[in-house]
Amino acid sequence: MSVFRNKQRGGVWSFDFILAGQRYRGACIDRRTGNRASNRTEALQLEILEKAAARQAQALNRSAARGDSYTIAQAAAAWLGRKSGRTASHVDNARLYVAEILAFFGAATPIGEIRDDQVEAYRRHATTRPLRVWAGGPGQRPAVDRPDLWRSTDRIRSARTANNYLKALRGIFAIAERVRDPVTRSPILDRAIEVRLHKVARRMPAPMADAELDKRLAVAPPWTIEAAELARLFGLRQREALQLERRHIDHDRRCIRFAAGDTKSGNQEQAFGGAAGWQLLRRLDKQAQARGQARLVTWPGPTHWRAFLAGQAVPTSAWRPLASIRRSWRTTATAAGIEAPARFHDVRARYITEVAKVNQAAAKDAARHQDAATTDLYIRLADSEIRDAVAAAVDRRPSTRRSARS
């Protein structure tokens, strides 16, 4: 059997098989629901689906007998096949990108017939589409085949969002560039197709000042406080904090341990939070157990949250996971009177910066980055720290008047 459960990786059921010389591995996740296999039988069933998807992608890739018959849909299927083993949300987003690309170019269009002006037309198209939001309710995964569960807003996609679609198109063309005609062994594309990304302002992480975080948490609801504390003490991203479950707690090492299928990188990772972080994990673990929830951060739902904040009892069945805290995070800035509010991600930047102050070499692993250059972008001082450092430096220098007299 090629499914296994590695207790050292959080006990997540995973698959690992080789098909036609290509290796496929990852967590056993139902792509429709985002749920992980809870037992061996479910894991085997999900592995069968993964193998079927891999066979389909390979068959589509082989079916192009000639370059003029290799379609963009075949290249897209091969590109999606390489997403196997990534998180469910990553795969779902990739499917959304592909669905729009195929609708624009036509799934049956030979990829060698796509012209540069068509690519440029799609580049413009990607930035003129209205931003859509998921309206299918909390706890559900975005569904490409359910357009009725998406709601268009009056906002247009940002250049950064449009670039996600363009990067997918780049990946599809990159797949096609490596495919060769089985008869002539020549590449099916006689030229490289350029997909230009839109220029976007680089968002530099800016560590949140402790004073701002204190003001926000003083007016935030408990679930927002819990997510922010997980980010402050463990350097978690917002999505990681909200999706953290009891199974992620490593009681032996007193840390958070993510399995390969739970991480952005696709690798096993661990996050440490010191004594204060471990105390927080223990409290949230007991709280989740009392509420009958797997998630550590939960809220009482739209019906009971006001009553809960008023100190009233809430039924255990009311507690549920959170999809996002963006609205409550914005509200804390308004309630606290913060004129230039920082992003939630800047709480993580504060964590990385503080670790770097103690041990620069440990910052990359603490941040769980693949590249040290990415970590370097996070290591910055807050404005108040820069102001105090400059003031201290100026005070040590001789005054202008003394310099003039001398």
Side-chain angles (χ1 to χ4, degrees):
M1 297 295 181
S2 53
V3 297
F4 61 96
R5 187 178 186 183
N6 191 335
K7 294 183 179 180
Q8 295 181 350
R9 297 189 174 186
V12 175
W13 283 99
S14 304
F15 62 86
D16 189 344
F17 61 86
I18 296 177
L19 187 63
Q22 185 172 349
R23 188 176 187 180
Y24 297 84
R25 56 182 175 178
C28 294
I29 300 174
D30 190 330
R31 297 186 183 183
R32 297 170 301 174
T33 64
N35 296 329
R36 297 179 179 84
S38 59
N39 53 56
R40 190 178 192 82
T41 300
E42 291 181 3
L44 288 171
Q45 292 173 345
L46 292 175
E47 183 200 36
I48 291 173
L49 295 178
E50 291 290 344
K51 286 184 176 180
R55 289 193 186 95
Q56 182 181 19
Q58 290 185 1
L60 286 171
N61 206 17
R62 292 192 301 267
S63 64
R66 304 294 300 177
D68 57 4
S69 65
Y70 190 82
T71 67
I72 188 173
Q74 290 171 297
W79 181 75
L80 283 175
R82 299 195 174 196
K83 301 299 177 182
S84 177
R86 304 296 294 272
T87 61
S89 60
H90 183 93
V91 174
D92 286 331
N93 287 336
R95 292 174 62 218
L96 288 174
Y97 306 150
V98 166
E100 179 176 293
I101 290 170
L102 297 185
F104 183 88
F105 290 99
T109 302
I111 199 165
E113 295 182 5
I114 296 177
R115 305 184 308 274
D116 291 335
D117 61 326
Q118 291 176 302
V119 174
E120 189 61 25
Y122 177 71
R123 182 174 179 270
R124 294 191 298 270
H125 172 84
T127 52
T128 58
R129 305 300 299 163
L131 188 66
R132 297 192 302 165
V133 295
W134 175 249
Q140 298 186 39
R141 307 302 309 178
V144 176
D145 54 351
R146 291 295 305 276
D148 58 306
L149 296 180
W150 288 88
R151 177 174 58 83
S152 294
T153 67
D154 57 357
R155 293 179 293 164
I156 302 299
R157 284 178 188 160
S158 66
R160 191 181 301 276
T161 300
N163 280 348
N164 291 333
Y165 289 80
L166 296 174
K167 289 176 182 177
L169 184 59
R170 270 187 175 181
I172 292 171
F173 283 135
I175 291 288
E177 288 173 4
R178 291 191 288 271
V179 176
R180 292 182 175 272
D181 188 301
V183 177
T184 65
R185 304 307 301 165
S186 299
I188 65 166
L189 290 179
D190 57 2
R191 73 194 192 289
I193 301 177
E194 180 184 8
V195 180
R196 296 188 302 119
L197 301 181
H198 295 282
K199 292 183 178 180
V200 295
R202 192 171 190 180
R203 278 191 311 204
M204 302 296 290
M208 180 182 291
D210 291 333
E212 177 179 343
L213 183 59
D214 291 341
K215 290 180 180 179
R216 283 177 176 268
L217 298 189
V219 296
W223 40 89
T224 302
I225 294 175
E226 291 163 359
E229 284 291 275
L230 286 169
R232 181 178 73 88
L233 295 173
F234 291 92
L236 300 189
R237 305 171 178 90
Q238 181 184 142
R239 178 184 61 82
E240 292 174 333
L242 296 181
Q243 294 184 352
L244 195 66
E245 298 183 357
R246 297 182 62 206
R247 63 183 176 86
H248 291 125
I249 300 177
D250 188 327
H251 292 270
D252 293 330
R253 306 195 67 184
R254 296 191 172 189
C255 68
I256 296 171
R257 184 178 295 275
F258 293 106
D262 299 329
T263 63
K264 183 178 179 180
S265 65
N267 300 323
Q268 178 185 340
E269 296 175 354
Q270 56 189 10
F272 293 93
W278 178 242
Q279 184 177 0
L280 174 64
L281 284 182
R282 291 184 62 189
R283 180 175 66 81
L284 294 180
D285 184 30
K286 292 179 181 178
Q287 176 179 275
Q289 186 176 13
R291 294 174 178 176
Q293 293 290 317
R295 297 279 179 90
L296 297 188
V297 179
T298 54
W299 77 307
T303 304
H304 299 280
W305 71 271
R306 289 182 179 84
F308 177 77
L309 294 181
Q312 300 177 20
V314 172
T316 303
S317 59
W319 292 99
R320 62 189 66 184
L322 277 155
S324 173
I325 57 168
R326 290 179 182 176
R327 180 178 298 178
S328 65
W329 186 250
R330 289 196 301 266
T331 302
T332 61
T334 303
I338 299 173
E339 296 182 356
R343 300 174 301 157
F344 185 93
H345 200 67
D346 293 332
V347 181
R348 169 174 161 82
R350 171 89 273 162
Y351 168 87
I352 298 172
T353 298
E354 293 302 320
V355 174
K357 289 179 182 178
V358 177
N359 188 333
Q360 179 85 21
K364 174 179 173 294
D365 290 336
R368 295 173 290 119
H369 286 146
Q370 300 300 299
D371 188 352
T374 304
T375 307
D376 292 340
L377 296 176
Y378 281 76
I379 301 174
R380 304 207 184 298
L381 299 178
D383 291 343
S384 59
E385 293 175 299
I386 297 174
R387 180 194 62 215
D388 295 342
V390 171
V394 171
D395 289 344
R396 286 199 296 267
R397 299 178 62 191
S399 69
T400 304
R401 291 182 179 178
R402 285 184 301 183
S403 298
R405 286 197 300 268
S406 59

